[in-house]
Amino acid sequence: MIQVCDPPRTRQVRRLSTEEFCQLVRGEVSCVYRPRSEVLRMLTVGEAWGTGGVRGAPGAGCILLPMDADVAAAAALRSFLGWGCTAGGYFLTPAAGPDSRAVGTLAPLLAAAAARQEQLARGRVRWAVVECAAEEVLPLYLRQGFALRAIRPLDSLAPCFWLQAGCLGQNQPPVWVPLADRVHIAILLARGYAALESRESPQGTVLALYPV
């Protein structure tokens, strides 16, 4: 007997409305998406991108923001990187929503958001932020061409991974460090290294750090 099944529905990545994104982050515990007034300010100056979830409700989404935006997250980036390293650039806020850590949902979302970011930046600097509480999604960002450059708070006490797009390492053997060893990674990042690759091992995810 042959059973015919409908093809699986693909969750299309699209630009979300303000109402959809606010609904998406209503139950979010992320420090970046509080308070609600700050989220509304980010949506005013940026673009929200996401995927549909069950019954058409958004399942995951992030905001694409210009680095000169008058919001706390952008101000924190400018303060650390300096205006000369951020002028005209764009960055992605952490993914939010019930499906924000699902590979099948997050991978196409990141691909679309990164492509839009590259289009808007036009060769200028591009960054992304991932909260350390969601470290399991970090390899997805590395596969999209982002490199881990720093571990530090963004606009709160919660630590975040800061990732830069288009970062090239020197032609030297990498230093492989377990992702769980935050102290060793932070020391290497402070010395000018960047994590460009990752792989899975019996000890968990390990990062390849190159001098840049």
Side-chain angles (χ1 to χ4, degrees):
M1 173 178 156
I2 300 177
Q3 183 177 5
V4 179
C5 301
D6 293 331
R9 295 182 179 180
T10 58
R11 297 183 175 181
Q12 183 179 8
V13 179
R14 59 181 176 82
R15 188 168 175 177
L16 302 178
S17 67
T18 298
E19 292 76 16
E20 286 177 313
F21 193 82
C22 287
Q23 177 186 359
L24 185 69
V25 300
R26 183 172 298 169
E28 185 64 46
V29 296
S30 165
C31 65
V32 177
Y33 296 114
R34 294 195 306 263
R36 181 182 174 87
S37 59
E38 184 69 8
V39 177
L40 292 174
R41 291 178 67 189
M42 288 193 290
L43 291 169
T44 300
V45 296
E47 298 180 0
W49 290 84
T51 59
V54 179
R55 298 178 181 176
C62 60
I63 303 177
L64 178 57
L65 280 170
M67 287 189 173
D68 58 358
D70 184 20
V71 296
L77 280 167
R78 293 195 301 268
S79 176
F80 178 69
L81 300 172
W83 181 260
C85 297
T86 60
Y90 282 79
F91 77 98
L92 292 172
T93 62
D99 297 336
S100 60
R101 301 187 187 184
V103 175
T105 300
L106 187 57
L109 171 58
L110 285 180
R116 176 60 175 165
Q117 182 188 38
E118 185 175 12
Q119 179 186 20
L120 291 174
R122 297 181 180 179
R124 292 179 289 250
V125 66
R126 296 187 292 126
W127 285 75
V129 177
V130 179
E131 290 185 303
C132 289
E135 66 175 25
E136 67 271 21
V137 305
L138 186 62
L140 295 179
Y141 285 80
L142 300 182
R143 292 173 203 157
Q144 287 298 326
F146 289 94
L148 176 61
R149 297 302 309 275
I151 303 176
R152 57 177 290 112
L154 185 62
D155 57 353
S156 71
L157 297 178
C160 295
F161 297 116
W162 292 24
L163 302 108
Q164 183 182 10
C167 184
L168 299 178
Q170 297 180 17
N171 188 20
Q172 296 183 20
V175 179
W176 290 92
V177 183
L179 178 56
D181 191 354
R182 301 276 181 82
V183 174
H184 192 185
I185 293 173
I187 291 173
L188 289 173
L189 294 176
R191 293 177 178 173
Y193 282 71
L196 302 177
E197 307 170 34
S198 69
R199 70 185 180 191
E200 297 302 317
S201 73
Q203 292 74 36
T205 303
V206 292
L207 302 179
L209 291 102
Y210 295 81
V212 295

